[in-house]
Amino acid sequence: MQYTKPLARLIEEFQKLPGIGPKSAQRMAFHILKMPSAEVQKFCDAIIYAKEKIKYCRTCFNMSSEDPCEICSDERRDKHTICVVSETRDLIALERTREYKGLYHVLQGVISPLDGISPDDLRVKELLNRLGSDIEEIILALNPSVEGEATSLYLSRLIKPLGIKVTRIAFGLPVGADLEYADEVTLAKALEGRREIL
Ligand code: ZN
């Protein structure tokens, strides 16, 4: 069956989103067409507004409408500790625990040779540039996947020789689990139980 052209185009766009297959894309497209025009407009405006307003903090690379971001500019945060995560959504998961009071650094990915992602594609250089004498601990909070492990190892080898304590969060999660989907209690425990990388 052939979709009429505008519908085919809408389905095609939805299918570009992560985790959306042809069936979900079709369901979303039909849903949009049933929505009142004002609601559709509101939805489109929200996408464009977020895209325009949200930038990356030039210090920690957290997604934010401010630069420096709300965390980097917060005087109450402990400036001696940096927690390294791969994406802003992991930062948000850790913030939800309310346990961590230090700073963050968002790598914007993990090392993945299969996908052609090398350390140069990540915010590694920018992390190293932040490691002055005031930094006492780097907490690695990357997913317990092959890529996450490789990235943790790579970073600890770079940072430890600088005389900075490098720890990693203790995962109570199975290998391959996603940090962003972990509940607050599990994540808080993972932070609390972090171990120094020797
Ligand atoms: Zn920041």
Side-chain angles (χ1 to χ4, degrees):
M1 177 206 144
Q2 292 279 327
Y3 294 116
T4 181
K5 239 194 197 134
L7 180 56
R9 192 176 141 193
L10 186 57
I11 293 172
E12 203 184 296
E13 290 304 319
F14 273 122
Q15 249 184 277
K16 291 177 185 169
L17 299 175
I20 304 299
K23 272 196 183 148
S24 300
Q26 182 192 308
R27 203 163 58 231
M28 286 175 172
F30 279 110
H31 181 78
I32 293 273
L33 294 176
K34 276 189 203 150
M35 277 161 66
S37 293
E39 284 301 308
V40 175
Q41 189 63 52
K42 234 164 88 183
F43 187 74
C44 295
D45 288 348
I47 294 174
I48 292 164
Y49 182 73
K51 185 66 189 163
E52 274 172 8
K53 289 289 169 197
I54 297 174
K55 313 257 183 287
Y56 292 102
C57 168
R58 265 176 290 178
T59 304
C60 73
F61 298 92
N62 177 19
M63 262 183 200
S64 174
S65 53
E66 312 290 333
D67 181 21
C69 71
E70 296 85 344
I71 294 173
C72 287
S73 58
D74 186 344
E75 282 306 315
R76 291 163 302 176
R77 309 255 350 178
D78 163 22
K79 312 276 186 198
H80 305 294
T81 310
I82 297 176
C83 179
V84 178
V85 294
S86 68
E87 303 289 348
T88 292
R89 49 182 193 264
D90 298 331
L91 178 157
I92 292 166
L94 286 162
E95 280 299 284
R96 271 202 299 262
T97 67
R98 298 172 187 278
E99 286 293 315
Y100 181 64
K101 302 287 176 234
L103 302 175
Y104 288 94
H105 192 85
V106 183
L107 288 176
Q108 298 187 331
V110 281
I111 299 169
S112 177
L114 284 178
D115 301 310
I117 301 168
S118 78
D120 289 342
D121 300 310
L122 308 173
R123 300 294 181 177
V124 172
K125 227 184 299 136
E126 290 86 348
L127 171 64
L128 297 177
N129 287 338
R130 294 178 69 187
L131 305 181
S133 54
D134 47 337
I135 302 298
E136 291 164 4
E137 183 182 353
I138 296 293
I139 303 170
L140 301 173
L142 301 168
N143 283 329
S145 60
V146 175
E147 294 81 9
E149 295 290 316
T151 309
S152 290
L153 196 64
Y154 176 82
L155 290 177
S156 71
R157 280 181 183 160
L158 279 180
I159 300 166
K160 274 186 65 67
L162 305 174
I164 297 168
K165 184 175 167 188
V166 181
T167 58
R168 59 185 305 174
I169 61 170
F171 269 102
L173 296 169
V175 170
D178 252 346
L179 201 147
E180 64 171 307
Y181 300 125
D183 62 274
E184 283 102 84
V185 178
T186 306
L187 266 184
K189 277 203 176 127
L191 255 176
E192 195 185 285
R194 67 183 182 272
R195 300 250 169 82
E196 187 163 2
I197 300 180
L198 299 169

